[in-house]
Amino acid sequence: MPLPSLPAVLVFAGTDPTGGAGLQADVLTLSSLGCHALSVVTAVTVQDTVGVDDYLPIDPEWIADQARGVLEDMPVAAIKIGMLGSVEAVAAIAEVVSDYPDIPLVLDPVLTSGRGDPLANEELLEAVRDLLLPQTTLLTPNSIEARRLAEDVDEDNDDPDLDECARRLMDLGCEYVLITGAHEQGAQVSNALYNTRGVVHRLHWDRLPGSYHGSGCTLASAVAALLAQGQDIADAVKEAQEYTYQTLKNAYRPGMGQYIPDRLYWVRGDDEE
Ligand code: PXL
């Protein structure tokens, strides 16, 4: 008899040769949390742990074909989307996922690298708002991404607070929004989960020293893994944040730039909880 399979999570992401962010971060996180990662490459980046130098978007037909191949081969329990690479990729992915409306969809709107190198332009943002947010179960922007996505381009002096950003993003169609606060000031980092009725929960963490590469990818993939295992959104988000915090506490610095979260910290069996 075949052994029971692990829940499969389909990831759309860009590759990162440092192994810190992007597709490599997603696959490691999903594996660490007991899922099988199905990986669709949307872009290839050239980068080190300091920053992104360049990227090559993959042909949208190739993106759709990669995804359809695995979606038709096996049941998929959750979908996670990271770096998109081009407007055409957004359209192709939106069309594929629209055929699977019952699979929970986690969208991490990757707009820049950790250093701030642009990974998306205004046109791509517009396509994400129009084509992907209406299909998104959980959107996981940091505060900068939330403000950029929620900006009302027709308004002068438009400066919404983060609660208002979350409301606007849900007006665009996503069910839940998790806004992470590491880019805001303060000794603590506050993350807030919203649904259309308001704040579901706010969690506060002591700010860790250092700058991390791939923390957002880790968090979004961890939520996708836990959703794939049947947890509800509020529990999955709480546990994913706890997991991500541990990966950051155990981060290491293999190069000259940012720290990389240790998604397999629990394998080392040292003193850390
Ligand atoms: O951490 C966001 C991110 C996602 N995906 C890829 C990246 C980065 C940041 O550098 O390179 C491929």
Side-chain angles (χ1 to χ4, degrees), residues 12-18 20-26 42-48 50-52 54-55 80 82-84 108-117 119 145 212-218 258 263:
F12 293 89
T15 61
D16 173 2
T18 74
L23 191 56
Q24 287 84 344
D26 296 335
T42 57
V44 174
T45 72
V46 176
Q47 62 181 303
D48 56 24
V50 178
V52 177
D54 209 352
Y55 65 88
K80 189 246 155 173
M83 180 180 173
L84 289 150
D108 180 19
V110 176
L111 306 185
T112 62
S113 74
R115 180 172 71 178
D117 311 295
L119 297 175
E145 293 161 343
Y212 302 95
H213 186 56
S215 51
C217 308
T218 305
Q258 294 181 303
R263 288 92 184 183

Side-chain angles (χ1 to χ4, degrees), residues 29-89:
T29 301
L30 290 164
S31 306
S32 169
L33 291 173
C35 288
H36 176 78
L38 304 168
S39 43
V40 170
V41 183
T42 57
V44 174
T45 72
V46 176
Q47 62 181 303
D48 56 24
T49 57
V50 178
V52 177
D53 287 329
D54 209 352
Y55 65 88
L56 175 76
I58 298 296
D59 183 317
E61 273 191 41
W62 278 74
I63 295 175
D65 287 351
Q66 290 176 77
R68 288 209 186 276
V70 289
L71 280 160
E72 284 161 24
D73 184 33
M74 66 186 90
V76 169
I79 297 175
K80 189 246 155 173
I81 302 177
M83 180 180 173
L84 289 150
S86 73
V87 173
E88 293 75 20

Side-chain angles (χ1 to χ4, degrees), residues 213-230:
H213 186 56
S215 51
C217 308
T218 305
L219 176 61
S221 287
V223 180
L226 298 166
L227 293 178
Q229 289 164 5

